[in-house]
Amino acid sequence: MKRAVEEVGRIYGDVGLGQFHFSLTVPVERGDYLAVVDEQHGKVLCQLDDLKRKSDLDLEHAGALQPSEEAHLHESMLGVAQIVGYRDASGVVKIPTIPFRPGAHVYRAEEPLIAEVLGLKHHANTGAYVGLLRNHSLRVELDINQLVQRHVSVLAKTGGGKSYLLGVLIEELLRHRVTCVIIDPHGEYGSLRVPAEKNGSSARFGVEAQGFGKQIQEYSPDVSLNPSATPLTFSLRNSDPRDLLVFMGLSNVKSFLAPLKQLIERVAAANPEYTVHDLVRAAEAGEGAIAETMAERLEYVDQTKLLGPKGTSLNDLVKPGGATLINLRGVAPDVQELVVSRIASTLFDNRKKGKIPPLFLVIEEAHNFAPQQGSATSSRVLKNIASEGRKFGLGLCAVTQRAARIDKSVLSQCNTQLILQVTNPLDLKAIAQSIEGLTPGMTEMIQSLPVGVALVTGGGYHTPLFCEVRPRATRHGGESVQIVAS
Ligand SMILES: Nc1ncnc2c1ncn2[C@@H]1O[C@H](COP(=O)(O)OP(=O)(O)O)[C@@H](O)[C@H]1O
Ligand SMILES: [Mg+2]
């Protein structure tokens, strides 16, 4: 359906180069696109950033009203619009250098103008289709090369829709045969194998249910809890005694380090092909409380089967054109950090050597693996990947509900941000500081975004835009647990 050009108001007062005020005569939502015809450049795209209801009722008169008395007043709506720009003959987006004329008409922007100025593409070869521009039927596609080369962050409060959106993104990457490794602390992403059930809004978004079972493999350090996964193991002889202490659950007890080192040296001298079981027996043969604890904890490590003679090979772990899930459900936090650190380091080293294809490394709960305060075993390598990964085709995707708690240097290196609802003031502050081009109106809007609407910055777009996330083609694995049956 083609809408006639709709006038929504007139510009008034002092007019600036970036912003203007206008009278609003029809309802327009904050964030909606507007157009003003500029004498020199034709139609210029603008966006409603704020709305105010003005009246001539002042404090004194309002205070003097009786409880039952109606207020008699004149009121009008005023809009504050941000100028987005026009595309010039060479395809560059520019903002007019002369302010609009007061009295100029303000129209609702038509879709062709919006698509042209924002640079929205339909079915681009390198496009990841994440949803529709809010209140429109224009596709928002993120440029996959930009995503992988320039890193991504997904930010929202718990329940804001991060995992859902990430699922959408991974579906798109799998369609384009981009290799992904996903750190999945809650075991949510296995459902990418399963086609979604019918969804009422799928038709509007043009999404068909599809499973990606053939492209997905899953590893876990704990296969008794996660039986759909293949065991993830590390090479015992490539493990530092410090790492071993983490696996033993003794990373905080430094007094064990020297005795453990001695134990390993002794066992290795007798048999270079030693196993965890050999370490257990040697510890059992020792005397005293330390030897006893070591024996007990090594026995536990032996049972986890996390440390084997060889460890999972990188060739198995990375599936070119597919996604590898590292399911860490039920794994102790310090072991999780160590697993992330070891996997991220191996991927980075081998990417530098060109032994594996360019890939996208997704870290869910990234504030735990690269915290701003305190330290995690995985912090250093994640910071290195954030600052240098792009040179080597290793893209990082950091997902977190605490933008204020993730390492600032990691957050600031993410050039595409997908932001859903955020209400915590500290997190909002961290987001506002790390993103260019956010208007005060947009920062306010982030606090009240409905589930399923994301603010997208970067990803090939020069200006932030609001996107209604498309329905999943696969089942979403992160459904909230019902405590009481309905
Ligand atoms: N785009 C969306 N469309 C429909 N439902 C959604 C959408 N995003 C999230 N949800 C629903 O909201 C809930 C929370 O989403 P989830 O992605 O698990 O949140 P988070 O990972 O941020 O904690 C889920 O139950 C999911 O079904
Ligand atoms: Mg989640």
Side-chain angles (χ1 to χ4, degrees):
M1 187 182 67
K2 204 162 160 44
R3 265 192 304 214
V5 182
E6 183 188 5
E7 176 167 336
V8 296
R10 295 283 189 120
I11 298 181
Y12 74 86
D14 297 337
V15 187
L17 283 174
Q19 230 190 29
F20 59 84
H21 291 77
F22 67 108
S23 64
L24 241 178
T25 42
V26 296
V28 175
E29 253 187 81
R30 204 179 197 186
D32 278 358
Y33 290 100
L34 308 165
V36 174
V37 182
D38 177 67
E39 282 145 12
Q40 256 190 307
H41 307 288
K43 286 181 195 162
V44 177
L45 188 70
C46 309
Q47 189 173 27
L48 187 67
D49 199 46
D50 206 358
L51 272 173
K52 270 200 193 95
R53 201 169 201 149
K54 279 195 110 162
S55 76
D56 58 357
L57 182 66
D58 60 21
L59 174 65
E60 201 182 324
H61 286 92
L65 287 172
Q66 297 301 316
S68 60
E69 197 182 345
E70 277 290 314
H72 295 284
L73 51 91
H74 290 288
E75 65 166 12
S76 46
M77 278 292 229
L78 91 83
V80 182
Q82 204 73 27
I83 302 175
V84 181
Y86 65 94
R87 221 170 256 277
D88 75 359
S90 57
V92 179
V93 174
K94 288 194 173 147
I95 287 181
T97 49
I98 300 171
F100 295 137
R101 214 170 23 83
H105 301 267
V106 180
Y107 301 99
R108 206 182 276 284
E110 294 170 289
E111 293 200 336
L113 176 72
I114 301 174
E116 181 194 338
V117 177
L118 297 184
L120 298 175
K121 296 194 182 80
H122 268 243
H123 302 281
N125 284 340
T126 57
Y129 167 44
V130 289
L132 299 176
L133 191 67
R134 199 184 63 147
N135 295 342
H136 291 278
S137 50
L138 296 165
R139 283 162 69 100
V140 176
E141 300 179 3
L142 305 176
D143 185 75
I144 290 178
N145 290 327
Q146 293 247 357
L147 295 183
V148 179
Q149 283 161 11
R150 314 206 51 202
H151 308 315
V152 182
S153 61
V154 181
L155 311 168
K157 65 183 210 178
T158 304
K162 296 179 297 295
S163 303
Y164 192 100
L165 173 54
L166 200 66
V168 166
L169 198 60
I170 295 165
E171 289 168 7
E172 290 294 318
L173 295 177
L174 288 175
R175 268 190 200 134
H176 287 84
R177 306 260 158 200
V178 177
T179 311
C180 303
V181 174
I182 299 153
I183 303 296
D184 180 9
H186 306 297
E188 287 174 286
Y189 291 95
S191 64
L192 282 161
R193 300 184 184 99
V194 188
E197 275 130 48
K198 265 218 165 343
N199 178 318
S201 58
S202 300
R204 178 180 164 226
F205 287 87
V207 173
E208 300 221 350
Q210 179 187 358
F212 290 90
K214 288 207 180 90
Q215 279 169 272
I216 289 182
Q217 57 176 5
E218 181 181 354
Y219 282 87
S220 177
D222 187 342
V223 289
S224 56
L225 195 60
N226 303 297
S228 54
T230 307
L232 177 72
T233 59
F234 295 98
S235 147
L236 172 61
R237 282 180 293 283
N238 289 343
S239 293
D240 190 86
R242 279 191 181 75
D243 294 355
L244 199 50
L245 277 185
V246 173
F247 291 129
M248 292 162 75
L250 295 173
S251 55
N252 293 326
V253 201
K254 296 285 174 267
S255 52
F256 280 94
L257 190 58
L260 183 65
K261 272 185 185 165
Q262 285 164 11
L263 183 81
I264 295 173
E265 276 164 22
R266 214 157 11 100
V267 173
N271 175 12
E273 306 283 299
Y274 66 98
T275 63
V276 180
H277 193 62
D278 298 329
L279 294 178
V280 175
R281 273 193 308 202
E284 277 170 353
E287 272 175 24
I290 286 192
E292 202 174 310
T293 308
M294 282 202 299
E296 183 203 324
R297 300 312 299 168
L298 284 165
E299 175 70 41
Y300 160 75
V301 175
D302 197 23
Q303 278 165 15
T304 65
K305 301 197 174 60
L306 204 57
L307 291 168
K310 273 179 65 192
T312 307
S313 110
L314 187 71
N315 283 338
D316 294 336
L317 199 64
V318 175
K319 189 177 167 98
T324 303
L325 312 178
I326 308 294
N327 184 345
L328 299 177
R329 192 164 70 108
V331 175
D334 53 351
V335 176
Q336 290 199 10
E337 287 169 25
L338 186 57
V339 168
V340 170
S341 163
R342 299 269 299 243
I343 288 179
S345 307
T346 312
L347 293 176
F348 196 22
D349 288 346
N350 285 280
R351 206 27 239 153
K352 283 182 187 162
K353 293 178 195 149
K355 284 190 179 170
I356 49 175
L359 66 89
F360 195 60
L361 173 62
V362 177
I363 315 279
E364 265 268 10
E365 310 282 355
H367 55 281
N368 290 334
F369 298 107
Q372 169 68 13
Q373 277 183 345
S375 67
T377 323
S378 42
S379 275
R380 203 164 63 173
V381 58
L382 294 183
K383 282 197 253 186
N384 284 344
I385 293 175
S387 62
E388 287 189 65
R390 69 190 57 178
K391 285 192 271 185
F392 304 102
L394 177 54
L396 186 69
C397 176
V399 185
T400 178
Q401 65 262 30
R402 291 310 316 271
R405 294 228 181 126
I406 184 174
D407 186 276
K408 294 272 173 307
S409 63
V410 171
L411 193 59
S412 64
Q413 293 289 343
C414 296
N415 285 285
T416 297
Q417 286 100 356
L418 308 176
I419 304 161
L420 299 133
Q421 191 188 41
V422 176
T423 47
N424 181 306
L426 294 176
D427 294 334
L428 277 167
K429 199 167 145 216
I431 291 170
Q433 281 169 353
S434 74
I435 300 176
E436 285 171 34
L438 273 198
T439 65
M442 284 174 179
T443 311
E444 269 179 44
M445 282 172 77
I446 293 174
Q447 299 174 54
S448 54
L449 285 177
V451 170
V453 177
L455 178 66
V456 174
T457 79
Y461 299 110
H462 65 279
T463 175
L465 44 90
F466 289 97
C467 169
E468 288 177 61
V469 176
R470 71 159 172 80
R472 291 275 296 266
T474 57
R475 184 184 293 169
H476 175 47
E479 298 296 338
S480 319
V481 177
Q482 275 202 332
I483 311 292
V484 181
S486 55

